[in-house]
Amino acid sequence: MRRAKQPRLIARTELRRRWRTMKGNTTQLLALAFAGVMLLPFSIGG
């Protein structure tokens, strides 16, 4: 049971760390938002 929760905990921690890093870098945040907007029509179309 404990082993099943460990990968989720690691992933959640890494996502939080990555988000904190990106909040400090406006250019990277804008690039990610732009990529998300460009990929949105393909996701909806698919």
Side-chain angles (χ1 to χ4, degrees):
M1 184 77 153
R2 183 175 176 178
R3 285 183 174 228
K5 291 182 181 183
Q6 189 174 6
R8 227 180 301 177
L9 177 63
I10 292 169
R12 192 171 62 207
T13 302
E14 289 300 321
L15 283 172
R16 270 192 252 159
R17 289 176 65 196
R18 184 70 178 152
W19 177 247
R20 269 189 264 140
T21 302
M22 284 182 47
K23 278 197 316 190
N25 189 349
T26 308
T27 307
Q28 192 174 10
L29 196 57
L30 288 173
L32 183 64
F34 180 74
V37 168
M38 289 296 140
L39 290 174
L40 188 63
F42 294 109
S43 298
I44 292 172

mmCIF file of all heavy atoms in Angstrom:
data_model
loop_
_atom_site.group_PDB
_atom_site.id
_atom_site.type_symbol
_atom_site.label_atom_id
_atom_site.label_comp_id
_atom_site.label_asym_id
_atom_site.label_seq_id
_atom_site.Cartn_x
_atom_site.Cartn_y
_atom_site.Cartn_z
ATOM 1 N N MET A 1 0.829 -1.197 0.000
ATOM 2 C CA MET A 1 0.000 0.000 0.000
ATOM 3 C C MET A 1 0.871 1.258 0.000
ATOM 4 O O MET A 1 0.589 2.193 -0.698
ATOM 5 C CB MET A 1 -0.924 -0.050 1.207
ATOM 6 C CG MET A 1 -1.880 1.100 1.254
ATOM 7 S SD MET A 1 -3.207 0.830 0.081
ATOM 8 C CE MET A 1 -4.472 1.735 0.820
ATOM 9 N N ARG A 2 1.913 1.249 0.792
ATOM 10 C CA ARG A 2 2.758 2.423 0.894
ATOM 11 C C ARG A 2 3.497 2.689 -0.415
ATOM 12 O O ARG A 2 3.689 3.819 -0.803
ATOM 13 C CB ARG A 2 3.747 2.238 2.028
ATOM 14 C CG ARG A 2 4.602 3.466 2.222
ATOM 15 C CD ARG A 2 5.490 3.342 3.410
ATOM 16 N NE ARG A 2 6.342 4.512 3.454
ATOM 17 C CZ ARG A 2 7.218 4.753 4.390
ATOM 18 N NH1 ARG A 2 7.379 3.908 5.349
ATOM 19 N NH2 ARG A 2 7.938 5.825 4.363
ATOM 20 N N ARG A 3 3.888 1.635 -1.099
ATOM 21 C CA ARG A 3 4.616 1.804 -2.354
ATOM 22 C C ARG A 3 3.739 2.438 -3.424
ATOM 23 O O ARG A 3 4.221 3.116 -4.313
ATOM 24 C CB ARG A 3 5.141 0.471 -2.862
ATOM 25 C CG ARG A 3 6.315 -0.010 -2.096
ATOM 26 C CD ARG A 3 6.847 -1.288 -2.688
ATOM 27 N NE ARG A 3 8.058 -1.646 -2.016
ATOM 28 C CZ ARG A 3 9.161 -1.998 -2.638
ATOM 29 N NH1 ARG A 3 9.177 -2.084 -3.941
ATOM 30 N NH2 ARG A 3 10.240 -2.294 -1.963
ATOM 31 N N ALA A 4 2.450 2.218 -3.363
ATOM 32 C CA ALA A 4 1.543 2.798 -4.360
ATOM 33 C C ALA A 4 1.450 4.314 -4.201
ATOM 34 O O ALA A 4 1.236 5.022 -5.178
ATOM 35 C CB ALA A 4 0.166 2.169 -4.235
ATOM 36 N N LYS A 5 1.612 4.821 -3.016
ATOM 37 C CA LYS A 5 1.503 6.268 -2.771
ATOM 38 C C LYS A 5 2.804 7.008 -3.053
ATOM 39 O O LYS A 5 2.783 8.196 -3.335
ATOM 40 C CB LYS A 5 1.090 6.524 -1.329
ATOM 41 C CG LYS A 5 -0.327 6.094 -1.033
ATOM 42 C CD LYS A 5 -0.693 6.422 0.391
ATOM 43 C CE LYS A 5 -2.104 5.976 0.685
ATOM 44 N NZ LYS A 5 -2.514 6.341 2.036
ATOM 45 N N GLN A 6 3.921 6.304 -3.011
ATOM 46 C CA GLN A 6 5.214 6.969 -3.148
ATOM 47 C C GLN A 6 5.409 7.646 -4.514
ATOM 48 O O GLN A 6 5.817 8.809 -4.545
ATOM 49 C CB GLN A 6 6.343 5.978 -2.895
ATOM 50 C CG GLN A 6 7.695 6.647 -2.815
ATOM 51 C CD GLN A 6 8.779 5.677 -2.416
ATOM 52 O OE1 GLN A 6 8.534 4.482 -2.303
ATOM 53 N NE2 GLN A 6 9.964 6.176 -2.202
ATOM 54 N N PRO A 7 5.116 7.001 -5.647
ATOM 55 C CA PRO A 7 5.296 7.705 -6.922
ATOM 56 C C PRO A 7 4.418 8.951 -7.042
ATOM 57 O O PRO A 7 4.840 9.963 -7.605
ATOM 58 C CB PRO A 7 4.891 6.671 -7.963
ATOM 59 C CG PRO A 7 5.090 5.359 -7.302
ATOM 60 C CD PRO A 7 4.779 5.601 -5.858
ATOM 61 N N ARG A 8 3.202 8.882 -6.514
ATOM 62 C CA ARG A 8 2.317 10.043 -6.558
ATOM 63 C C ARG A 8 2.880 11.196 -5.729
ATOM 64 O O ARG A 8 2.815 12.356 -6.145
ATOM 65 C CB ARG A 8 0.942 9.649 -6.015
ATOM 66 C CG ARG A 8 -0.172 10.122 -6.905
ATOM 67 C CD ARG A 8 -1.506 9.739 -6.392
ATOM 68 N NE ARG A 8 -1.592 8.292 -6.263
ATOM 69 C CZ ARG A 8 -2.606 7.634 -5.792
ATOM 70 N NH1 ARG A 8 -3.657 8.292 -5.372
ATOM 71 N NH2 ARG A 8 -2.610 6.330 -5.712
ATOM 72 N N LEU A 9 3.441 10.876 -4.583
ATOM 73 C CA LEU A 9 4.035 11.892 -3.720
ATOM 74 C C LEU A 9 5.233 12.540 -4.404
ATOM 75 O O LEU A 9 5.390 13.767 -4.384
ATOM 76 C CB LEU A 9 4.463 11.275 -2.393
ATOM 77 C CG LEU A 9 5.164 12.199 -1.415
ATOM 78 C CD1 LEU A 9 4.231 13.325 -0.987
ATOM 79 C CD2 LEU A 9 5.636 11.414 -0.201
ATOM 80 N N ILE A 10 6.069 11.737 -5.042
ATOM 81 C CA ILE A 10 7.236 12.267 -5.734
ATOM 82 C C ILE A 10 6.803 13.159 -6.891
ATOM 83 O O ILE A 10 7.339 14.254 -7.086
ATOM 84 C CB ILE A 10 8.133 11.116 -6.239
ATOM 85 C CG1 ILE A 10 8.764 10.404 -5.046
ATOM 86 C CG2 ILE A 10 9.205 11.633 -7.180
ATOM 87 C CD1 ILE A 10 9.459 9.114 -5.390
ATOM 88 N N ALA A 11 5.815 12.722 -7.655
ATOM 89 C CA ALA A 11 5.333 13.514 -8.786
ATOM 90 C C ALA A 11 4.748 14.836 -8.314
ATOM 91 O O ALA A 11 5.012 15.896 -8.911
ATOM 92 C CB ALA A 11 4.292 12.728 -9.569
ATOM 93 N N ARG A 12 3.975 14.797 -7.244
ATOM 94 C CA ARG A 12 3.367 16.024 -6.730
ATOM 95 C C ARG A 12 4.440 17.000 -6.243
ATOM 96 O O ARG A 12 4.365 18.202 -6.505
ATOM 97 C CB ARG A 12 2.398 15.676 -5.601
ATOM 98 C CG ARG A 12 1.519 16.837 -5.218
ATOM 99 C CD ARG A 12 0.439 16.428 -4.267
ATOM 100 N NE ARG A 12 1.008 15.922 -3.036
ATOM 101 C CZ ARG A 12 0.417 15.046 -2.230
ATOM 102 N NH1 ARG A 12 -0.766 14.586 -2.533
ATOM 103 N NH2 ARG A 12 0.989 14.630 -1.131
ATOM 104 N N THR A 13 5.465 16.477 -5.578
ATOM 105 C CA THR A 13 6.556 17.318 -5.092
ATOM 106 C C THR A 13 7.313 17.946 -6.252
ATOM 107 O O THR A 13 7.626 19.141 -6.232
ATOM 108 C CB THR A 13 7.522 16.484 -4.227
ATOM 109 O OG1 THR A 13 6.794 15.918 -3.147
ATOM 110 C CG2 THR A 13 8.645 17.346 -3.686
ATOM 111 N N GLU A 14 7.590 17.160 -7.286
ATOM 112 C CA GLU A 14 8.302 17.690 -8.447
ATOM 113 C C GLU A 14 7.485 18.744 -9.174
ATOM 114 O O GLU A 14 8.035 19.746 -9.646
ATOM 115 C CB GLU A 14 8.669 16.551 -9.406
ATOM 116 C CG GLU A 14 9.757 15.648 -8.873
ATOM 117 C CD GLU A 14 11.066 16.381 -8.602
ATOM 118 O OE1 GLU A 14 11.437 17.272 -9.392
ATOM 119 O OE2 GLU A 14 11.707 16.071 -7.591
ATOM 120 N N LEU A 15 6.175 18.536 -9.282
ATOM 121 C CA LEU A 15 5.326 19.541 -9.921
ATOM 122 C C LEU A 15 5.337 20.846 -9.143
ATOM 123 O O LEU A 15 5.391 21.928 -9.725
ATOM 124 C CB LEU A 15 3.895 19.025 -10.056
ATOM 125 C CG LEU A 15 3.674 18.020 -11.174
ATOM 126 C CD1 LEU A 15 2.269 17.438 -11.083
ATOM 127 C CD2 LEU A 15 3.893 18.670 -12.521
ATOM 128 N N ARG A 16 5.295 20.742 -7.821
ATOM 129 C CA ARG A 16 5.349 21.966 -6.996
ATOM 130 C C ARG A 16 6.671 22.692 -7.174
ATOM 131 O O ARG A 16 6.699 23.921 -7.305
ATOM 132 C CB ARG A 16 5.160 21.617 -5.522
ATOM 133 C CG ARG A 16 3.716 21.646 -5.112
ATOM 134 C CD ARG A 16 3.608 21.599 -3.617
ATOM 135 N NE ARG A 16 3.115 20.273 -3.282
ATOM 136 C CZ ARG A 16 3.234 19.688 -2.117
ATOM 137 N NH1 ARG A 16 3.835 20.284 -1.134
ATOM 138 N NH2 ARG A 16 2.743 18.498 -1.904
ATOM 139 N N ARG A 17 7.772 21.942 -7.183
ATOM 140 C CA ARG A 17 9.090 22.552 -7.350
ATOM 141 C C ARG A 17 9.201 23.227 -8.711
ATOM 142 O O ARG A 17 9.727 24.331 -8.836
ATOM 143 C CB ARG A 17 10.184 21.493 -7.206
ATOM 144 C CG ARG A 17 10.348 20.998 -5.786
ATOM 145 C CD ARG A 17 11.366 19.902 -5.709
ATOM 146 N NE ARG A 17 12.677 20.398 -6.050
ATOM 147 C CZ ARG A 17 13.710 19.624 -6.361
ATOM 148 N NH1 ARG A 17 13.576 18.320 -6.399
ATOM 149 N NH2 ARG A 17 14.865 20.153 -6.658
ATOM 150 N N ARG A 18 8.696 22.551 -9.734
ATOM 151 C CA ARG A 18 8.754 23.102 -11.089
ATOM 152 C C ARG A 18 7.911 24.367 -11.193
ATOM 153 O O ARG A 18 8.308 25.335 -11.838
ATOM 154 C CB ARG A 18 8.262 22.047 -12.084
ATOM 155 C CG ARG A 18 8.365 22.468 -13.492
ATOM 156 C CD ARG A 18 9.806 22.531 -13.912
ATOM 157 N NE ARG A 18 9.874 22.903 -15.314
ATOM 158 C CZ ARG A 18 10.881 23.542 -15.851
ATOM 159 N NH1 ARG A 18 11.931 23.837 -15.143
ATOM 160 N NH2 ARG A 18 10.860 23.853 -17.116
ATOM 161 N N TRP A 19 6.738 24.372 -10.570
ATOM 162 C CA TRP A 19 5.864 25.540 -10.611
ATOM 163 C C TRP A 19 6.528 26.735 -9.941
ATOM 164 O O TRP A 19 6.477 27.853 -10.435
ATOM 165 C CB TRP A 19 4.525 25.216 -9.966
ATOM 166 C CG TRP A 19 3.619 26.402 -9.907
ATOM 167 C CD1 TRP A 19 3.206 27.058 -8.795
ATOM 168 C CD2 TRP A 19 3.026 27.097 -11.016
ATOM 169 N NE1 TRP A 19 2.387 28.113 -9.137
ATOM 170 C CE2 TRP A 19 2.268 28.158 -10.493
ATOM 171 C CE3 TRP A 19 3.073 26.917 -12.391
ATOM 172 C CZ2 TRP A 19 1.562 29.031 -11.313
ATOM 173 C CZ3 TRP A 19 2.368 27.796 -13.199
ATOM 174 C CH2 TRP A 19 1.621 28.829 -12.657
ATOM 175 N N ARG A 20 7.174 26.502 -8.797
ATOM 176 C CA ARG A 20 7.865 27.594 -8.108
ATOM 177 C C ARG A 20 8.980 28.172 -8.970
ATOM 178 O O ARG A 20 9.177 29.380 -9.023
ATOM 179 C CB ARG A 20 8.450 27.113 -6.779
ATOM 180 C CG ARG A 20 7.486 27.290 -5.643
ATOM 181 C CD ARG A 20 8.166 27.005 -4.327
ATOM 182 N NE ARG A 20 7.863 25.615 -3.988
ATOM 183 C CZ ARG A 20 8.716 24.758 -3.458
ATOM 184 N NH1 ARG A 20 9.929 25.119 -3.169
ATOM 185 N NH2 ARG A 20 8.359 23.529 -3.196
ATOM 186 N N THR A 21 9.697 27.294 -9.665
ATOM 187 C CA THR A 21 10.777 27.744 -10.546
ATOM 188 C C THR A 21 10.217 28.569 -11.692
ATOM 189 O O THR A 21 10.770 29.610 -12.055
ATOM 190 C CB THR A 21 11.538 26.529 -11.113
ATOM 191 O OG1 THR A 21 12.045 25.763 -10.030
ATOM 192 C CG2 THR A 21 12.683 26.963 -11.985
ATOM 193 N N MET A 22 9.131 28.120 -12.270
ATOM 194 C CA MET A 22 8.550 28.811 -13.413
ATOM 195 C C MET A 22 7.917 30.137 -13.032
ATOM 196 O O MET A 22 7.921 31.074 -13.840
ATOM 197 C CB MET A 22 7.513 27.925 -14.100
ATOM 198 C CG MET A 22 8.155 26.857 -14.932
ATOM 199 S SD MET A 22 7.001 25.837 -15.796
ATOM 200 C CE MET A 22 5.909 27.009 -16.509
ATOM 201 N N LYS A 23 7.358 30.240 -11.848
ATOM 202 C CA LYS A 23 6.762 31.509 -11.427
ATOM 203 C C LYS A 23 7.806 32.607 -11.373
ATOM 204 O O LYS A 23 7.503 33.765 -11.637
ATOM 205 C CB LYS A 23 6.104 31.361 -10.058
ATOM 206 C CG LYS A 23 4.729 30.778 -10.133
ATOM 207 C CD LYS A 23 3.905 30.997 -8.882
ATOM 208 C CE LYS A 23 4.597 30.771 -7.592
ATOM 209 N NZ LYS A 23 3.729 30.772 -6.428
ATOM 210 N N GLY A 24 9.031 32.246 -11.065
ATOM 211 C CA GLY A 24 10.109 33.224 -10.997
ATOM 212 C C GLY A 24 10.629 33.643 -12.361
ATOM 213 O O GLY A 24 11.289 34.661 -12.495
ATOM 214 N N ASN A 25 10.355 32.861 -13.408
ATOM 215 C CA ASN A 25 10.841 33.142 -14.749
ATOM 216 C C ASN A 25 9.653 33.455 -15.653
ATOM 217 O O ASN A 25 9.004 32.554 -16.181
ATOM 218 C CB ASN A 25 11.631 31.938 -15.266
ATOM 219 C CG ASN A 25 12.351 32.230 -16.559
ATOM 220 O OD1 ASN A 25 12.112 33.244 -17.189
ATOM 221 N ND2 ASN A 25 13.223 31.328 -16.944
ATOM 222 N N THR A 26 9.381 34.730 -15.848
ATOM 223 C CA THR A 26 8.208 35.165 -16.612
ATOM 224 C C THR A 26 8.274 34.698 -18.064
ATOM 225 O O THR A 26 7.264 34.291 -18.637
ATOM 226 C CB THR A 26 8.095 36.694 -16.580
ATOM 227 O OG1 THR A 26 8.146 37.117 -15.223
ATOM 228 C CG2 THR A 26 6.792 37.159 -17.187
ATOM 229 N N THR A 27 9.451 34.719 -18.659
ATOM 230 C CA THR A 27 9.597 34.313 -20.056
ATOM 231 C C THR A 27 9.204 32.846 -20.240
ATOM 232 O O THR A 27 8.493 32.496 -21.188
ATOM 233 C CB THR A 27 11.052 34.527 -20.527
ATOM 234 O OG1 THR A 27 11.428 35.860 -20.259
ATOM 235 C CG2 THR A 27 11.191 34.232 -21.998
ATOM 236 N N GLN A 28 9.663 32.009 -19.350
ATOM 237 C CA GLN A 28 9.343 30.589 -19.436
ATOM 238 C C GLN A 28 7.841 30.364 -19.228
ATOM 239 O O GLN A 28 7.233 29.536 -19.899
ATOM 240 C CB GLN A 28 10.145 29.814 -18.396
ATOM 241 C CG GLN A 28 10.103 28.327 -18.586
ATOM 242 C CD GLN A 28 11.025 27.606 -17.625
ATOM 243 O OE1 GLN A 28 11.555 28.204 -16.692
ATOM 244 N NE2 GLN A 28 11.224 26.329 -17.848
ATOM 245 N N LEU A 29 7.254 31.108 -18.329
ATOM 246 C CA LEU A 29 5.817 30.989 -18.072
ATOM 247 C C LEU A 29 5.012 31.423 -19.296
ATOM 248 O O LEU A 29 4.050 30.756 -19.674
ATOM 249 C CB LEU A 29 5.450 31.837 -16.852
ATOM 250 C CG LEU A 29 4.122 31.585 -16.186
ATOM 251 C CD1 LEU A 29 3.990 30.139 -15.752
ATOM 252 C CD2 LEU A 29 3.954 32.503 -14.997
ATOM 253 N N LEU A 30 5.415 32.501 -19.926
ATOM 254 C CA LEU A 30 4.740 32.963 -21.144
ATOM 255 C C LEU A 30 4.906 31.969 -22.291
ATOM 256 O O LEU A 30 3.970 31.722 -23.053
ATOM 257 C CB LEU A 30 5.267 34.332 -21.564
ATOM 258 C CG LEU A 30 4.832 35.499 -20.692
ATOM 259 C CD1 LEU A 30 5.561 36.779 -21.117
ATOM 260 C CD2 LEU A 30 3.335 35.693 -20.763
ATOM 261 N N ALA A 31 6.070 31.376 -22.412
ATOM 262 C CA ALA A 31 6.307 30.381 -23.467
ATOM 263 C C ALA A 31 5.430 29.151 -23.250
ATOM 264 O O ALA A 31 4.875 28.597 -24.213
ATOM 265 C CB ALA A 31 7.781 29.983 -23.491
ATOM 266 N N LEU A 32 5.275 28.734 -22.031
ATOM 267 C CA LEU A 32 4.421 27.584 -21.726
ATOM 268 C C LEU A 32 2.959 27.914 -22.019
ATOM 269 O O LEU A 32 2.239 27.089 -22.584
ATOM 270 C CB LEU A 32 4.581 27.168 -20.263
ATOM 271 C CG LEU A 32 3.806 25.934 -19.839
ATOM 272 C CD1 LEU A 32 4.314 24.707 -20.589
ATOM 273 C CD2 LEU A 32 3.923 25.724 -18.359
ATOM 274 N N ALA A 33 2.527 29.109 -21.668
ATOM 275 C CA ALA A 33 1.151 29.520 -21.954
ATOM 276 C C ALA A 33 0.913 29.581 -23.464
ATOM 277 O O ALA A 33 -0.127 29.134 -23.963
ATOM 278 C CB ALA A 33 0.869 30.877 -21.315
ATOM 279 N N PHE A 34 1.874 30.106 -24.211
ATOM 280 C CA PHE A 34 1.756 30.180 -25.665
ATOM 281 C C PHE A 34 1.666 28.784 -26.276
ATOM 282 O O PHE A 34 0.829 28.530 -27.148
ATOM 283 C CB PHE A 34 2.965 30.937 -26.240
ATOM 284 C CG PHE A 34 2.933 31.056 -27.729
ATOM 285 C CD1 PHE A 34 2.063 31.940 -28.335
ATOM 286 C CD2 PHE A 34 3.782 30.297 -28.508
ATOM 287 C CE1 PHE A 34 2.034 32.057 -29.722
ATOM 288 C CE2 PHE A 34 3.750 30.394 -29.886
ATOM 289 C CZ PHE A 34 2.880 31.278 -30.494
ATOM 290 N N ALA A 35 2.494 27.870 -25.816
ATOM 291 C CA ALA A 35 2.462 26.494 -26.324
ATOM 292 C C ALA A 35 1.124 25.838 -25.995
ATOM 293 O O ALA A 35 0.554 25.110 -26.821
ATOM 294 C CB ALA A 35 3.609 25.692 -25.719
ATOM 295 N N GLY A 36 0.601 26.098 -24.817
ATOM 296 C CA GLY A 36 -0.699 25.552 -24.441
ATOM 297 C C GLY A 36 -1.815 26.065 -25.322
ATOM 298 O O GLY A 36 -2.694 25.308 -25.748
ATOM 299 N N VAL A 37 -1.770 27.352 -25.635
ATOM 300 C CA VAL A 37 -2.797 27.945 -26.505
ATOM 301 C C VAL A 37 -2.685 27.377 -27.920
ATOM 302 O O VAL A 37 -3.694 27.113 -28.573
ATOM 303 C CB VAL A 37 -2.675 29.489 -26.517
ATOM 304 C CG1 VAL A 37 -3.516 30.105 -27.614
ATOM 305 C CG2 VAL A 37 -3.077 30.050 -25.161
ATOM 306 N N MET A 38 -1.471 27.165 -28.409
ATOM 307 C CA MET A 38 -1.278 26.623 -29.752
ATOM 308 C C MET A 38 -1.713 25.158 -29.843
ATOM 309 O O MET A 38 -2.180 24.710 -30.887
ATOM 310 C CB MET A 38 0.190 26.744 -30.168
ATOM 311 C CG MET A 38 0.611 28.138 -30.450
ATOM 312 S SD MET A 38 -0.308 28.768 -31.862
ATOM 313 C CE MET A 38 -0.635 30.410 -31.365
ATOM 314 N N LEU A 39 -1.569 24.410 -28.773
ATOM 315 C CA LEU A 39 -1.930 22.987 -28.791
ATOM 316 C C LEU A 39 -3.401 22.749 -28.474
ATOM 317 O O LEU A 39 -3.917 21.652 -28.716
ATOM 318 C CB LEU A 39 -1.051 22.214 -27.802
ATOM 319 C CG LEU A 39 0.414 22.091 -28.204
ATOM 320 C CD1 LEU A 39 1.212 21.438 -27.082
ATOM 321 C CD2 LEU A 39 0.572 21.302 -29.484
ATOM 322 N N LEU A 40 -4.070 23.752 -27.958
ATOM 323 C CA LEU A 40 -5.477 23.599 -27.585
ATOM 324 C C LEU A 40 -6.369 23.192 -28.751
ATOM 325 O O LEU A 40 -7.174 22.258 -28.600
ATOM 326 C CB LEU A 40 -5.973 24.892 -26.924
ATOM 327 C CG LEU A 40 -7.354 24.838 -26.296
ATOM 328 C CD1 LEU A 40 -7.377 23.838 -25.150
ATOM 329 C CD2 LEU A 40 -7.739 26.214 -25.791
ATOM 330 N N PRO A 41 -6.278 23.814 -29.926
ATOM 331 C CA PRO A 41 -7.148 23.387 -31.043
ATOM 332 C C PRO A 41 -6.921 21.928 -31.452
ATOM 333 O O PRO A 41 -7.854 21.229 -31.811
ATOM 334 C CB PRO A 41 -6.754 24.324 -32.189
ATOM 335 C CG PRO A 41 -6.129 25.491 -31.534
ATOM 336 C CD PRO A 41 -5.513 24.992 -30.280
ATOM 337 N N PHE A 42 -5.679 21.466 -31.392
ATOM 338 C CA PHE A 42 -5.396 20.071 -31.727
ATOM 339 C C PHE A 42 -6.009 19.118 -30.711
ATOM 340 O O PHE A 42 -6.486 18.043 -31.048
ATOM 341 C CB PHE A 42 -3.883 19.835 -31.823
ATOM 342 C CG PHE A 42 -3.243 20.560 -32.967
ATOM 343 C CD1 PHE A 42 -2.414 21.635 -32.740
ATOM 344 C CD2 PHE A 42 -3.492 20.178 -34.269
ATOM 345 C CE1 PHE A 42 -1.826 22.312 -33.782
ATOM 346 C CE2 PHE A 42 -2.907 20.848 -35.335
ATOM 347 C CZ PHE A 42 -2.078 21.922 -35.088
ATOM 348 N N SER A 43 -6.005 19.527 -29.454
ATOM 349 C CA SER A 43 -6.602 18.683 -28.410
ATOM 350 C C SER A 43 -8.115 18.606 -28.575
ATOM 351 O O SER A 43 -8.698 17.545 -28.424
ATOM 352 C CB SER A 43 -6.277 19.258 -27.037
ATOM 353 O OG SER A 43 -4.899 19.266 -26.819
ATOM 354 N N ILE A 44 -8.726 19.718 -28.883
ATOM 355 C CA ILE A 44 -10.173 19.737 -29.058
ATOM 356 C C ILE A 44 -10.555 18.987 -30.339
ATOM 357 O O ILE A 44 -11.525 18.231 -30.363
ATOM 358 C CB ILE A 44 -10.692 21.192 -29.103
ATOM 359 C CG1 ILE A 44 -10.519 21.832 -27.737
ATOM 360 C CG2 ILE A 44 -12.147 21.242 -29.523
ATOM 361 C CD1 ILE A 44 -10.803 23.312 -27.693
ATOM 362 N N GLY A 45 -9.773 19.192 -31.390
ATOM 363 C CA GLY A 45 -10.044 18.540 -32.659
ATOM 364 C C GLY A 45 -9.866 17.024 -32.599
ATOM 365 O O GLY A 45 -10.534 16.276 -33.298
ATOM 366 N N GLY A 46 -8.959 16.597 -31.746
ATOM 367 C CA GLY A 46 -8.683 15.153 -31.640
ATOM 368 C C GLY A 46 -9.739 14.459 -30.866
ATOM 369 O O GLY A 46 -10.148 13.369 -31.063
#
